[in-house]
PDB file of all heavy atoms in Angstrom:
ATOM      1  N   SER A 488      35.756  15.987  45.378  1.00 52.00           N
ATOM      2  CA  SER A 488      34.351  15.958  45.991  1.00 52.00           C
ATOM      3  C   SER A 488      34.180  17.409  46.419  1.00 52.00           C
ATOM      4  O   SER A 488      34.957  18.001  47.013  1.00 52.00           O
ATOM      5  CB  SER A 488      34.301  14.992  47.146  1.00 52.00           C
ATOM      6  OG  SER A 488      35.317  15.288  48.063  1.00 52.00           O
ATOM      7  N   ILE A 491      32.795  20.295  52.027  1.00 60.00           N
ATOM      8  CA  ILE A 491      33.043  21.526  52.884  1.00 60.00           C
ATOM      9  C   ILE A 491      34.459  21.808  52.979  1.00 60.00           C
ATOM     10  O   ILE A 491      34.998  22.909  52.932  1.00 60.00           O
ATOM     11  CB  ILE A 491      32.383  21.287  54.259  1.00 60.00           C
ATOM     12  CG1 ILE A 491      30.910  21.028  54.099  1.00 60.00           C
ATOM     13  CG2 ILE A 491      32.570  22.608  55.165  1.00 60.00           C
ATOM     14  CD1 ILE A 491      30.091  22.127  53.451  1.00 60.00           C
ATOM     15  N   SER A 492      35.262  20.762  53.169  1.00 63.00           N
ATOM     16  CA  SER A 492      36.609  20.916  53.546  1.00 63.00           C
ATOM     17  C   SER A 492      37.329  21.675  52.369  1.00 63.00           C
ATOM     18  O   SER A 492      38.231  22.540  52.691  1.00 63.00           O
ATOM     19  CB  SER A 492      37.289  19.555  53.851  1.00 63.00           C
ATOM     20  OG  SER A 492      37.030  18.710  52.736  1.00 63.00           O
ATOM     21  N   THR A 495      36.750  25.389  52.675  1.00 69.00           N
ATOM     22  CA  THR A 495      37.450  25.995  53.718  1.00 69.00           C
ATOM     23  C   THR A 495      38.896  26.053  53.447  1.00 69.00           C
ATOM     24  O   THR A 495      39.630  26.943  53.704  1.00 69.00           O
ATOM     25  CB  THR A 495      37.236  25.335  55.012  1.00 69.00           C
ATOM     26  OG1 THR A 495      37.435  23.905  54.819  1.00 69.00           O
ATOM     27  CG2 THR A 495      35.812  25.612  55.553  1.00 69.00           C
ATOM     28  N   ASP A 496      39.301  25.022  52.631  1.00 70.00           N
ATOM     29  CA  ASP A 496      40.634  25.089  52.232  1.00 70.00           C
ATOM     30  C   ASP A 496      40.934  26.269  51.267  1.00 70.00           C
ATOM     31  O   ASP A 496      41.991  26.847  51.314  1.00 70.00           O
ATOM     32  CB  ASP A 496      41.052  23.852  51.364  1.00 70.00           C
ATOM     33  CG  ASP A 496      41.056  22.605  52.228  1.00 70.00           C
ATOM     34  OD1 ASP A 496      41.194  22.766  53.428  1.00 70.00           O
ATOM     35  OD2 ASP A 496      40.985  21.484  51.727  1.00 70.00           O
ATOM     36  N   ARG A 500      43.713  28.940  51.901  1.00 74.00           N
ATOM     37  CA  ARG A 500      44.715  29.082  50.941  1.00 74.00           C
ATOM     38  C   ARG A 500      44.795  30.540  50.407  1.00 74.00           C
ATOM     39  O   ARG A 500      45.888  31.169  50.294  1.00 74.00           O
ATOM     40  CB  ARG A 500      44.401  28.244  49.672  1.00 74.00           C
ATOM     41  CG  ARG A 500      45.698  28.085  48.926  1.00 74.00           C
ATOM     42  CD  ARG A 500      45.556  27.084  47.880  1.00 74.00           C
ATOM     43  NE  ARG A 500      44.264  26.582  47.604  1.00 74.00           N
ATOM     44  CZ  ARG A 500      43.342  27.171  46.734  1.00 74.00           C
ATOM     45  NH1 ARG A 500      43.826  28.198  45.985  1.00 74.00           N
ATOM     46  NH2 ARG A 500      42.230  26.713  46.498  1.00 74.00           N
ATOM     47  N   GLN A 503      46.690  32.419  52.951  1.00 77.00           N
ATOM     48  CA  GLN A 503      48.084  32.076  52.782  1.00 77.00           C
ATOM     49  C   GLN A 503      48.756  32.823  51.592  1.00 77.00           C
ATOM     50  O   GLN A 503      49.790  33.326  51.702  1.00 77.00           O
ATOM     51  CB  GLN A 503      48.380  30.567  52.599  1.00 77.00           C
ATOM     52  CG  GLN A 503      48.220  29.787  53.835  1.00 77.00           C
ATOM     53  CD  GLN A 503      48.508  28.309  53.495  1.00 77.00           C
ATOM     54  OE1 GLN A 503      48.991  27.979  52.391  1.00 77.00           O
ATOM     55  NE2 GLN A 503      48.230  27.509  54.387  1.00 77.00           N
ATOM     56  N   ARG A 533      40.683  28.375  62.941  1.00 42.00           N
ATOM     57  CA  ARG A 533      40.669  27.429  61.751  1.00 42.00           C
ATOM     58  C   ARG A 533      41.698  27.786  60.758  1.00 42.00           C
ATOM     59  O   ARG A 533      42.372  27.058  60.143  1.00 42.00           O
ATOM     60  CB  ARG A 533      39.276  27.365  61.158  1.00 42.00           C
ATOM     61  CG  ARG A 533      39.177  26.854  59.687  1.00 42.00           C
ATOM     62  CD  ARG A 533      39.453  25.437  59.722  1.00 42.00           C
ATOM     63  NE  ARG A 533      39.543  24.944  58.292  1.00 42.00           N
ATOM     64  CZ  ARG A 533      40.793  24.799  57.685  1.00 42.00           C
ATOM     65  NH1 ARG A 533      41.832  25.019  58.268  1.00 42.00           N
ATOM     66  NH2 ARG A 533      40.675  24.330  56.454  1.00 42.00           N
ATOM     67  N   GLY A 646      47.758  37.150  38.002  1.00 39.00           N
ATOM     68  CA  GLY A 646      48.786  37.142  39.027  1.00 39.00           C
ATOM     69  C   GLY A 646      49.322  35.816  39.300  1.00 39.00           C
ATOM     70  O   GLY A 646      49.065  34.852  38.586  1.00 39.00           O
ATOM     71  N   SER A 647      50.035  35.662  40.317  1.00 40.00           N
ATOM     72  CA  SER A 647      50.818  34.417  40.468  1.00 40.00           C
ATOM     73  C   SER A 647      50.182  33.321  41.045  1.00 40.00           C
ATOM     74  O   SER A 647      50.456  32.154  40.917  1.00 40.00           O
ATOM     75  CB  SER A 647      52.056  34.702  41.392  1.00 40.00           C
ATOM     76  OG  SER A 647      51.623  35.286  42.584  1.00 40.00           O
ATOM     77  N   HIS A 648      49.035  33.557  41.718  1.00 42.00           N
ATOM     78  CA  HIS A 648      48.389  32.459  42.337  1.00 42.00           C
ATOM     79  C   HIS A 648      46.886  32.214  41.831  1.00 42.00           C
ATOM     80  O   HIS A 648      45.991  32.297  42.591  1.00 42.00           O
ATOM     81  CB  HIS A 648      48.210  32.632  43.764  1.00 42.00           C
ATOM     82  CG  HIS A 648      49.593  32.928  44.453  1.00 42.00           C
ATOM     83  ND1 HIS A 648      50.397  31.920  44.997  1.00 42.00           N
ATOM     84  CD2 HIS A 648      50.222  34.012  44.491  1.00 42.00           C
ATOM     85  CE1 HIS A 648      51.414  32.498  45.453  1.00 42.00           C
ATOM     86  NE2 HIS A 648      51.488  33.677  45.168  1.00 42.00           N
ATOM     87  N   LYS A 674      43.253  25.695  32.016  1.00 59.00           N
ATOM     88  CA  LYS A 674      44.546  24.939  31.708  1.00 59.00           C
ATOM     89  C   LYS A 674      45.193  25.556  30.599  1.00 59.00           C
ATOM     90  O   LYS A 674      46.461  25.593  30.480  1.00 59.00           O
ATOM     91  CB  LYS A 674      44.228  23.437  31.390  1.00 59.00           C
ATOM     92  CG  LYS A 674      44.138  22.627  32.647  1.00 59.00           C
ATOM     93  CD  LYS A 674      43.950  21.174  32.285  1.00 59.00           C
ATOM     94  CE  LYS A 674      43.856  20.369  33.593  1.00 59.00           C
ATOM     95  NZ  LYS A 674      43.162  19.235  33.483  1.00 59.00           N
ATOM     96  N   ARG A 678      48.337  32.520  31.289  1.00 61.00           N
ATOM     97  CA  ARG A 678      48.610  33.323  32.422  1.00 61.00           C
ATOM     98  C   ARG A 678      48.367  32.659  33.636  1.00 61.00           C
ATOM     99  O   ARG A 678      48.789  33.184  34.728  1.00 61.00           O
ATOM    100  CB  ARG A 678      47.743  34.657  32.286  1.00 61.00           C
ATOM    101  CG  ARG A 678      48.081  35.418  31.054  1.00 61.00           C
ATOM    102  CD  ARG A 678      46.942  36.449  30.895  1.00 61.00           C
ATOM    103  NE  ARG A 678      45.707  35.836  30.640  1.00 61.00           N
ATOM    104  CZ  ARG A 678      44.489  36.509  30.655  1.00 61.00           C
ATOM    105  NH1 ARG A 678      44.601  37.838  30.691  1.00 61.00           N
ATOM    106  NH2 ARG A 678      43.390  35.900  30.404  1.00 61.00           N
ATOM    107  N   ASN A 679      47.723  31.559  33.610  1.00 68.00           N
ATOM    108  CA  ASN A 679      47.483  30.820  34.974  1.00 68.00           C
ATOM    109  C   ASN A 679      48.660  30.125  35.350  1.00 68.00           C
ATOM    110  O   ASN A 679      49.579  29.623  34.597  1.00 68.00           O
ATOM    111  CB  ASN A 679      46.393  29.756  34.630  1.00 68.00           C
ATOM    112  CG  ASN A 679      45.024  30.338  34.828  1.00 68.00           C
ATOM    113  OD1 ASN A 679      44.867  31.524  35.232  1.00 68.00           O
ATOM    114  ND2 ASN A 679      43.990  29.796  34.269  1.00 68.00           N
ATOM    115  N   TRP A 680      48.918  30.040  36.601  1.00 81.00           N
ATOM    116  CA  TRP A 680      49.821  29.018  37.136  1.00 81.00           C
ATOM    117  C   TRP A 680      48.961  28.183  37.915  1.00 81.00           C
ATOM    118  O   TRP A 680      48.563  28.406  39.014  1.00 81.00           O
ATOM    119  CB  TRP A 680      50.816  29.817  37.915  1.00 81.00           C
ATOM    120  CG  TRP A 680      51.987  28.952  38.301  1.00 81.00           C
ATOM    121  CD1 TRP A 680      52.950  28.449  37.373  1.00 81.00           C
ATOM    122  CD2 TRP A 680      52.447  28.388  39.592  1.00 81.00           C
ATOM    123  NE1 TRP A 680      53.931  27.760  38.029  1.00 81.00           N
ATOM    124  CE2 TRP A 680      53.605  27.715  39.385  1.00 81.00           C
ATOM    125  CE3 TRP A 680      51.829  28.525  40.815  1.00 81.00           C
ATOM    126  CZ2 TRP A 680      54.262  27.063  40.374  1.00 81.00           C
ATOM    127  CZ3 TRP A 680      52.440  27.883  41.831  1.00 81.00           C
ATOM    128  CH2 TRP A 680      53.671  27.102  41.628  1.00 81.00           C
ATOM    129  N   LEU A 681      48.728  26.962  37.268  1.00 84.00           N
ATOM    130  CA  LEU A 681      47.679  26.036  37.892  1.00 84.00           C
ATOM    131  C   LEU A 681      48.183  25.438  39.202  1.00 84.00           C
ATOM    132  O   LEU A 681      49.379  25.128  39.260  1.00 84.00           O
ATOM    133  CB  LEU A 681      47.512  24.922  36.829  1.00 84.00           C
ATOM    134  CG  LEU A 681      46.546  25.238  35.690  1.00 84.00           C
ATOM    135  CD1 LEU A 681      46.427  24.074  34.811  1.00 84.00           C
ATOM    136  CD2 LEU A 681      45.171  25.685  36.216  1.00 84.00           C
ATOM    137  N   GLN A 682      47.219  25.273  40.018  1.00 88.00           N
ATOM    138  CA  GLN A 682      47.558  24.404  41.185  1.00 88.00           C
ATOM    139  C   GLN A 682      46.479  23.282  41.223  1.00 88.00           C
ATOM    140  O   GLN A 682      45.271  23.552  40.927  1.00 88.00           O
ATOM    141  CB  GLN A 682      47.383  25.325  42.360  1.00 88.00           C
ATOM    142  CG  GLN A 682      48.626  26.313  42.487  1.00 88.00           C
ATOM    143  CD  GLN A 682      48.358  27.235  43.604  1.00 88.00           C
ATOM    144  OE1 GLN A 682      48.101  26.781  44.766  1.00 88.00           O
ATOM    145  NE2 GLN A 682      48.535  28.594  43.394  1.00 88.00           N
ATOM    146  N   SER A 683      46.874  22.219  41.524  1.00 88.00           N
ATOM    147  CA  SER A 683      45.920  21.043  41.604  1.00 88.00           C
ATOM    148  C   SER A 683      46.028  20.515  42.995  1.00 88.00           C
ATOM    149  O   SER A 683      47.026  20.375  43.643  1.00 88.00           O
ATOM    150  CB  SER A 683      46.268  19.991  40.710  1.00 88.00           C
ATOM    151  OG  SER A 683      46.333  20.411  39.353  1.00 88.00           O
ATOM    152  N   GLN A 684      44.839  20.186  43.507  1.00 88.00           N
ATOM    153  CA  GLN A 684      44.704  19.612  44.850  1.00 88.00           C
ATOM    154  C   GLN A 684      44.820  18.058  44.600  1.00 88.00           C
ATOM    155  O   GLN A 684      44.132  17.499  43.787  1.00 88.00           O
ATOM    156  CB  GLN A 684      43.480  19.861  45.566  1.00 88.00           C
ATOM    157  CG  GLN A 684      43.478  19.516  46.982  1.00 88.00           C
ATOM    158  CD  GLN A 684      42.283  19.953  47.633  1.00 88.00           C
ATOM    159  OE1 GLN A 684      41.229  19.984  47.095  1.00 88.00           O
ATOM    160  NE2 GLN A 684      42.370  20.183  48.973  1.00 88.00           N
ATOM    161  N   VAL A 685      45.713  17.436  45.503  1.00 87.00           N
ATOM    162  CA  VAL A 685      45.762  15.952  45.274  1.00 87.00           C
ATOM    163  C   VAL A 685      45.451  15.302  46.655  1.00 87.00           C
ATOM    164  O   VAL A 685      45.582  15.954  47.662  1.00 87.00           O
ATOM    165  CB  VAL A 685      47.123  15.546  44.775  1.00 87.00           C
ATOM    166  CG1 VAL A 685      47.417  15.970  43.328  1.00 87.00           C
ATOM    167  CG2 VAL A 685      48.171  16.010  45.691  1.00 87.00           C
TER     168      VAL A 685
ATOM    169  N   VAL W   5      32.157  24.471  60.974  1.00 38.00           N
ATOM    170  CA  VAL W   5      32.551  23.680  59.823  1.00 38.00           C
ATOM    171  C   VAL W   5      33.998  23.168  60.056  1.00 38.00           C
ATOM    172  O   VAL W   5      34.246  22.024  59.723  1.00 38.00           O
ATOM    173  CB  VAL W   5      32.576  24.664  58.579  1.00 38.00           C
ATOM    174  CG1 VAL W   5      33.408  23.938  57.452  1.00 38.00           C
ATOM    175  CG2 VAL W   5      31.159  24.834  58.174  1.00 38.00           C
ATOM    176  N   ILE W   6      34.816  24.043  60.548  1.00 38.00           N
ATOM    177  CA  ILE W   6      36.171  23.546  60.814  1.00 38.00           C
ATOM    178  C   ILE W   6      36.223  22.385  61.834  1.00 38.00           C
ATOM    179  O   ILE W   6      37.039  21.450  61.616  1.00 38.00           O
ATOM    180  CB  ILE W   6      36.932  24.751  61.262  1.00 38.00           C
ATOM    181  CG1 ILE W   6      36.954  25.917  60.261  1.00 38.00           C
ATOM    182  CG2 ILE W   6      38.444  24.323  61.501  1.00 38.00           C
ATOM    183  CD1 ILE W   6      37.228  25.411  58.873  1.00 38.00           C
ATOM    184  N   LEU W   9      35.536  19.411  60.224  1.00 39.00           N
ATOM    185  CA  LEU W   9      36.603  18.978  59.298  1.00 39.00           C
ATOM    186  C   LEU W   9      37.673  18.237  60.213  1.00 39.00           C
ATOM    187  O   LEU W   9      38.084  17.140  59.767  1.00 39.00           O
ATOM    188  CB  LEU W   9      37.382  20.248  58.756  1.00 39.00           C
ATOM    189  CG  LEU W   9      38.456  19.989  57.775  1.00 39.00           C
ATOM    190  CD1 LEU W   9      37.887  19.280  56.570  1.00 39.00           C
ATOM    191  CD2 LEU W   9      39.140  21.201  57.359  1.00 39.00           C
ATOM    192  N   LEU W  57      45.543  13.228  49.303  1.00 91.00           N
ATOM    193  CA  LEU W  57      46.880  13.235  49.929  1.00 91.00           C
ATOM    194  C   LEU W  57      46.920  14.495  50.876  1.00 91.00           C
ATOM    195  O   LEU W  57      47.701  14.512  51.795  1.00 91.00           O
ATOM    196  CB  LEU W  57      47.949  13.392  48.962  1.00 91.00           C
ATOM    197  CG  LEU W  57      48.198  12.135  48.111  1.00 91.00           C
ATOM    198  CD1 LEU W  57      48.940  12.430  46.848  1.00 91.00           C
ATOM    199  CD2 LEU W  57      49.145  11.216  48.981  1.00 91.00           C
ATOM    200  N   GLY W  58      46.164  15.594  50.514  1.00 91.00           N
ATOM    201  CA  GLY W  58      46.124  16.710  51.422  1.00 91.00           C
ATOM    202  C   GLY W  58      47.168  17.735  51.054  1.00 91.00           C
ATOM    203  O   GLY W  58      47.778  18.273  52.045  1.00 91.00           O
ATOM    204  N   PHE W  59      47.521  17.866  49.810  1.00 93.00           N
ATOM    205  CA  PHE W  59      48.282  19.050  49.483  1.00 93.00           C
ATOM    206  C   PHE W  59      48.039  19.378  48.025  1.00 93.00           C
ATOM    207  O   PHE W  59      47.310  18.666  47.348  1.00 93.00           O
ATOM    208  CB  PHE W  59      49.781  18.791  49.694  1.00 93.00           C
ATOM    209  CG  PHE W  59      50.447  17.777  48.805  1.00 93.00           C
ATOM    210  CD1 PHE W  59      51.128  18.116  47.691  1.00 93.00           C
ATOM    211  CD2 PHE W  59      50.336  16.470  49.151  1.00 93.00           C
ATOM    212  CE1 PHE W  59      51.760  17.251  46.824  1.00 93.00           C
ATOM    213  CE2 PHE W  59      50.954  15.551  48.322  1.00 93.00           C
ATOM    214  CZ  PHE W  59      51.648  15.807  47.156  1.00 93.00           C
ATOM    215  N   SER W  60      48.465  20.592  47.649  1.00 93.00           N
ATOM    216  CA  SER W  60      48.218  21.069  46.281  1.00 93.00           C
ATOM    217  C   SER W  60      49.575  21.246  45.628  1.00 93.00           C
ATOM    218  O   SER W  60      50.595  21.639  46.372  1.00 93.00           O
ATOM    219  CB  SER W  60      47.445  22.348  46.328  1.00 93.00           C
ATOM    220  OG  SER W  60      46.107  22.149  46.738  1.00 93.00           O
ATOM    221  N   ILE W  61      49.571  21.041  44.395  1.00 93.00           N
ATOM    222  CA  ILE W  61      50.791  21.212  43.596  1.00 93.00           C
ATOM    223  C   ILE W  61      50.714  22.311  42.588  1.00 93.00           C
ATOM    224  O   ILE W  61      49.599  22.561  42.066  1.00 93.00           O
ATOM    225  CB  ILE W  61      51.264  19.914  42.944  1.00 93.00           C
ATOM    226  CG1 ILE W  61      50.131  19.371  42.030  1.00 93.00           C
ATOM    227  CG2 ILE W  61      51.779  18.957  43.881  1.00 93.00           C
ATOM    228  CD1 ILE W  61      50.605  18.336  41.063  1.00 93.00           C
ATOM    229  N   GLY W  62      51.776  22.887  42.229  1.00 92.00           N
ATOM    230  CA  GLY W  62      51.741  23.816  41.165  1.00 92.00           C
ATOM    231  C   GLY W  62      53.045  23.601  40.325  1.00 92.00           C
ATOM    232  O   GLY W  62      53.958  23.040  40.761  1.00 92.00           O
ATOM    233  N   GLY W  63      52.942  24.133  39.180  1.00 91.00           N
ATOM    234  CA  GLY W  63      54.160  24.038  38.298  1.00 91.00           C
ATOM    235  C   GLY W  63      53.876  22.901  37.188  1.00 91.00           C
ATOM    236  O   GLY W  63      52.876  22.278  37.149  1.00 91.00           O
ATOM    237  N   GLN W  67      53.583  25.094  32.182  1.00 87.00           N
ATOM    238  CA  GLN W  67      53.123  26.178  33.015  1.00 87.00           C
ATOM    239  C   GLN W  67      54.131  27.328  32.933  1.00 87.00           C
ATOM    240  O   GLN W  67      55.275  27.122  32.639  1.00 87.00           O
ATOM    241  CB  GLN W  67      52.894  25.830  34.520  1.00 87.00           C
ATOM    242  CG  GLN W  67      51.945  24.735  34.802  1.00 87.00           C
ATOM    243  CD  GLN W  67      50.536  25.125  34.390  1.00 87.00           C
ATOM    244  OE1 GLN W  67      50.012  26.176  34.863  1.00 87.00           O
ATOM    245  NE2 GLN W  67      49.873  24.389  33.634  1.00 87.00           N
ATOM    246  N   ASP W  68      53.771  28.480  33.351  1.00 85.00           N
ATOM    247  CA  ASP W  68      54.581  29.674  33.355  1.00 85.00           C
ATOM    248  C   ASP W  68      55.512  29.599  34.648  1.00 85.00           C
ATOM    249  O   ASP W  68      54.969  29.913  35.783  1.00 85.00           O
ATOM    250  CB  ASP W  68      53.791  30.905  33.204  1.00 85.00           C
ATOM    251  CG  ASP W  68      54.607  32.176  33.227  1.00 85.00           C
ATOM    252  OD1 ASP W  68      55.850  32.059  33.099  1.00 85.00           O
ATOM    253  OD2 ASP W  68      54.040  33.240  33.400  1.00 85.00           O
ATOM    254  N   GLN W  71      55.665  32.491  37.569  1.00 87.00           N
ATOM    255  CA  GLN W  71      54.607  32.749  38.564  1.00 87.00           C
ATOM    256  C   GLN W  71      54.652  31.805  39.751  1.00 87.00           C
ATOM    257  O   GLN W  71      53.737  31.886  40.501  1.00 87.00           O
ATOM    258  CB  GLN W  71      53.224  32.498  37.898  1.00 87.00           C
ATOM    259  CG  GLN W  71      52.881  33.495  36.745  1.00 87.00           C
ATOM    260  CD  GLN W  71      51.541  33.363  36.152  1.00 87.00           C
ATOM    261  OE1 GLN W  71      50.643  33.192  36.861  1.00 87.00           O
ATOM    262  NE2 GLN W  71      51.469  33.471  34.877  1.00 87.00           N
ATOM    263  N   ASN W  72      55.742  31.218  39.739  1.00 88.00           N
ATOM    264  CA  ASN W  72      55.912  30.285  40.990  1.00 88.00           C
ATOM    265  C   ASN W  72      56.582  30.999  42.147  1.00 88.00           C
ATOM    266  O   ASN W  72      57.635  31.522  42.004  1.00 88.00           O
ATOM    267  CB  ASN W  72      56.804  29.126  40.469  1.00 88.00           C
ATOM    268  CG  ASN W  72      56.911  27.998  41.540  1.00 88.00           C
ATOM    269  OD1 ASN W  72      56.623  28.263  42.681  1.00 88.00           O
ATOM    270  ND2 ASN W  72      57.448  26.882  41.115  1.00 88.00           N
ATOM    271  N   PRO W  73      55.875  31.126  43.189  1.00 87.00           N
ATOM    272  CA  PRO W  73      56.332  31.960  44.308  1.00 87.00           C
ATOM    273  C   PRO W  73      57.469  31.161  45.049  1.00 87.00           C
ATOM    274  O   PRO W  73      58.161  31.709  45.887  1.00 87.00           O
ATOM    275  CB  PRO W  73      55.139  32.268  45.159  1.00 87.00           C
ATOM    276  CG  PRO W  73      54.186  31.151  44.913  1.00 87.00           C
ATOM    277  CD  PRO W  73      54.411  30.664  43.512  1.00 87.00           C
ATOM    278  N   THR W  86      52.277  23.769  46.848  1.00 92.00           N
ATOM    279  CA  THR W  86      51.780  25.122  47.061  1.00 92.00           C
ATOM    280  C   THR W  86      50.997  25.259  48.341  1.00 92.00           C
ATOM    281  O   THR W  86      50.748  26.284  48.761  1.00 92.00           O
ATOM    282  CB  THR W  86      51.007  25.630  45.873  1.00 92.00           C
ATOM    283  OG1 THR W  86      49.929  24.813  45.722  1.00 92.00           O
ATOM    284  CG2 THR W  86      51.758  25.658  44.618  1.00 92.00           C
ATOM    285  N   ARG W  87      50.620  24.216  48.864  1.00 89.00           N
ATOM    286  CA  ARG W  87      49.690  24.254  50.020  1.00 89.00           C
ATOM    287  C   ARG W  87      49.644  22.939  50.693  1.00 89.00           C
ATOM    288  O   ARG W  87      49.703  21.789  49.899  1.00 89.00           O
ATOM    289  CB  ARG W  87      48.287  24.666  49.466  1.00 89.00           C
ATOM    290  CG  ARG W  87      47.329  25.133  50.448  1.00 89.00           C
ATOM    291  CD  ARG W  87      46.056  25.497  49.818  1.00 89.00           C
ATOM    292  NE  ARG W  87      45.331  24.370  49.382  1.00 89.00           N
ATOM    293  CZ  ARG W  87      44.615  23.579  50.237  1.00 89.00           C
ATOM    294  NH1 ARG W  87      44.474  23.908  51.487  1.00 89.00           N
ATOM    295  NH2 ARG W  87      43.933  22.526  49.736  1.00 89.00           N
ATOM    296  N   MET W 101      55.065  23.227  52.687  1.00 91.00           N
ATOM    297  CA  MET W 101      54.812  24.106  51.513  1.00 91.00           C
ATOM    298  C   MET W 101      56.041  24.681  51.011  1.00 91.00           C
ATOM    299  O   MET W 101      56.878  25.116  51.731  1.00 91.00           O
ATOM    300  CB  MET W 101      53.910  25.287  51.958  1.00 91.00           C
ATOM    301  CG  MET W 101      53.325  26.133  50.843  1.00 91.00           C
ATOM    302  SD  MET W 101      51.974  27.129  51.360  1.00 91.00           S
ATOM    303  CE  MET W 101      52.793  28.398  52.195  1.00 91.00           C
ATOM    304  N   HIS W 118      51.845  19.649  34.141  1.00 90.00           N
ATOM    305  CA  HIS W 118      51.042  19.819  35.443  1.00 90.00           C
ATOM    306  C   HIS W 118      50.080  18.570  35.577  1.00 90.00           C
ATOM    307  O   HIS W 118      49.958  17.982  36.537  1.00 90.00           O
ATOM    308  CB  HIS W 118      50.289  21.068  35.352  1.00 90.00           C
ATOM    309  CG  HIS W 118      49.572  21.368  36.607  1.00 90.00           C
ATOM    310  ND1 HIS W 118      50.217  21.977  37.630  1.00 90.00           N
ATOM    311  CD2 HIS W 118      48.336  21.117  37.025  1.00 90.00           C
ATOM    312  CE1 HIS W 118      49.271  22.149  38.601  1.00 90.00           C
ATOM    313  NE2 HIS W 118      48.215  21.566  38.234  1.00 90.00           N
ATOM    314  N   ASP W 119      49.445  18.238  34.475  1.00 89.00           N
ATOM    315  CA  ASP W 119      48.401  17.182  34.498  1.00 89.00           C
ATOM    316  C   ASP W 119      49.127  15.788  34.722  1.00 89.00           C
ATOM    317  O   ASP W 119      48.574  14.986  35.443  1.00 89.00           O
ATOM    318  CB  ASP W 119      47.696  17.082  33.176  1.00 89.00           C
ATOM    319  CG  ASP W 119      46.160  16.661  33.375  1.00 89.00           C
ATOM    320  OD1 ASP W 119      45.621  17.067  34.426  1.00 89.00           O
ATOM    321  OD2 ASP W 119      45.700  15.842  32.601  1.00 89.00           O
TER     322      ASP W 119
END
Side-chain angles (χ1 to χ4, degrees):
Chain A
S488 57
I491 303 297
S492 54
T495 47
D496 287 346
R500 197 168 17 88
Q503 282 181 12
R533 163 68 185 99
S647 55
H648 306 263
K674 275 183 180 153
R678 296 168 299 172
N679 278 344
W680 193 68
L681 283 178
Q682 295 175 41
S683 306
Q684 188 176 32
V685 294
Chain W
V5 167
I6 301 312
L9 184 67
L57 289 159
F59 66 98
S60 295
I61 52 166
Q67 303 290 311
D68 177 12
Q71 295 185 41
N72 186 345
T86 58
R87 194 176 75 79
M101 190 164 77
H118 186 87
D119 210 41

